[in-house]
Amino acid sequence: MVTREQEVDDSTVAVPATVGASLVVAGLDAGYGDAISVLDGVDLEVPAGKVVALLGANGAGKTTLLRSITGLLRIHRGRITAGSVHLDGADITGSPPAAIVRAGLAQVMEGRRIFAELSVEENLRTGAVTRRDAKGITATFDEILELFPPLVDRRSDTAGYLSGGEQQMVAIGRALMAKPRLLVLDEPSLGLAPLIVEQIGEIISDINARGTSVLLVEQNAMMALGIADFAYVVETGRIVRSGPAQELREDAEIQEFYLGISSDGRTSFREVGAYPAAKTWRL
Ligand code: ATP
């Protein structure tokens, strides 16, 4: 695992390798088929070089928003019906996924979708399919092994046999092989033990410190608000709260419903999905 000590010891690690891209989502409506409307006028911004968290319960529309941004919505028989998505000022609304990757946006999908039968190295190299610069690909590969020391000795191992945390490193590393200026992660903490979640959070911070903007979709609000600069809360397809992450961390409603801390300071351990459905915030 990557530790703070390892990061500090290696003075080359902190040098920004990329310049983060900005993302602007404006007035986005999206849904599936002709009848299912999911997103309703979503406005969201990732300023260049920042980490932005998107929080929300099951079914709130987080994955649909990510699919709208990354061009994958059409694969799921969905479509954008209004609004726009701009990456560094370029209109990428409804562009094909490969064109969006080439424009500088890469995604780590929910559920660590690695190729279980391929080796760690083969998995990582699949992330560079949109690139043609062989030398640059080798340099990025070396940088990724620097970022994930546990993968160095395991590069020839079959990825399916790695631990959950190591598989998540492979999934993140594969996205980084595209050398993105904006990295989008869909629930990277899902199914991982608390200590590993913490390490994944540190890795995301390291990636951001190297100059990559990050949009982080999480149900683990504790981790997400711990590393984000700004955060948004989505409920039933609408953004209902937004602000500096620090501000949301200190908000009583966010604490109760997303951090599981009740007003008297006790941790309730309630699942996000069990929060009162009628509880909504409006700005
Ligand atoms: P989760 O955390 O459970 O992934 P989410 O916030 O990412 O939830 P979405 O997956 O975007 O939410 O789902 C939002 C709504 O869209 C849900 O009502 C879901 O049933 C619906 N939905 C998602 N995918 C499809 C699809 N391919 N076809 C039809 N409806 C869909």
Side-chain angles (χ1 to χ4, degrees):
M1 300 298 151
V2 178
T3 63
R4 282 281 160 209
E5 287 70 27
Q6 283 167 326
E7 184 203 325
V8 170
D9 281 346
D10 189 342
S11 56
T12 60
V13 166
V15 178
T18 51
V19 177
S22 66
L23 179 79
V24 178
V25 175
L28 202 73
D29 293 354
Y32 300 93
D34 290 329
I36 305 169
S37 162
V38 175
L39 300 181
D40 180 10
V42 169
D43 295 319
L44 176 144
E45 192 174 341
V46 182
K50 300 293 182 192
V51 178
V52 172
L54 176 66
L55 311 176
N58 281 322
K62 304 182 298 297
T63 300
T64 303
L65 176 54
L66 290 196
R67 287 173 181 162
S68 305
I69 293 168
T70 58
L72 293 173
L73 191 60
R74 217 175 302 170
I75 293 167
H76 297 272
R77 293 169 200 262
R79 65 193 180 97
I80 293 171
T81 50
S84 62
V85 183
H86 284 81
L87 185 70
D88 261 353
D91 190 348
I92 58 165
T93 320
S95 296
I100 292 175
V101 174
R102 275 196 299 273
L105 188 157
Q107 183 185 6
V108 180
M109 283 195 266
E110 187 180 330
R112 304 188 282 281
R113 293 204 207 131
I114 57 164
F115 298 107
E117 276 111 60
L118 298 186
S119 71
V120 167
E121 177 161 353
E122 286 164 342
N123 265 280
L124 291 177
R125 291 196 183 279
T126 62
V129 287
T130 55
R131 292 176 64 180
R132 295 284 169 269
D133 55 328
K135 267 194 193 154
I137 292 171
T138 303
T140 307
F141 182 76
D142 292 343
E143 277 172 36
I144 288 166
L145 290 186
E146 237 176 66
L147 189 64
F148 302 111
L151 299 186
V152 175
D153 291 338
R154 314 210 59 177
R155 58 193 275 185
S156 306
D157 291 1
T158 305
Y161 293 126
L162 302 184
S163 69
E166 288 166 342
Q167 288 188 15
Q168 189 58 278
M169 290 183 198
V170 173
I172 296 172
R174 188 176 59 186
L176 292 177
M177 283 297 287
K179 212 169 167 54
R181 289 174 303 120
L182 172 73
L183 182 67
V184 172
L185 299 111
D186 195 357
E187 307 226 16
S189 77
L190 199 69
L192 298 178
L195 191 63
I196 310 297
V197 171
E198 206 176 297
Q199 286 165 338
I200 294 293
E202 285 176 13
I203 287 166
I204 295 168
S205 292
D206 287 349
I207 292 166
N208 175 247
R210 291 170 175 226
T212 307
S213 314
V214 175
L215 175 59
L216 172 63
V217 166
E218 263 298 338
Q219 285 202 24
N220 187 326
M222 191 77 85
M223 183 271 256
L225 293 178
I227 64 172
D229 297 293
F230 300 100
Y232 291 80
V233 177
V234 61
E235 274 183 17
T236 54
R238 304 184 70 171
I239 301 293
V240 293
R241 288 292 305 268
S242 62
Q246 171 78 21
E247 209 172 273
L248 295 195
R249 239 189 346 251
E250 288 163 4
D251 182 283
E253 286 181 330
I254 299 283
Q255 288 197 350
E256 183 168 3
F257 295 105
Y258 285 90
L259 299 177
I261 303 165
S262 64
S263 49
D264 59 7
R266 284 181 294 114
T267 302
S268 70
F269 300 109
R270 283 182 301 178
E271 289 297 314
V272 171
Y275 295 158
K279 186 77 193 170
T280 57
W281 292 280
R282 294 283 177 260
L283 286 174

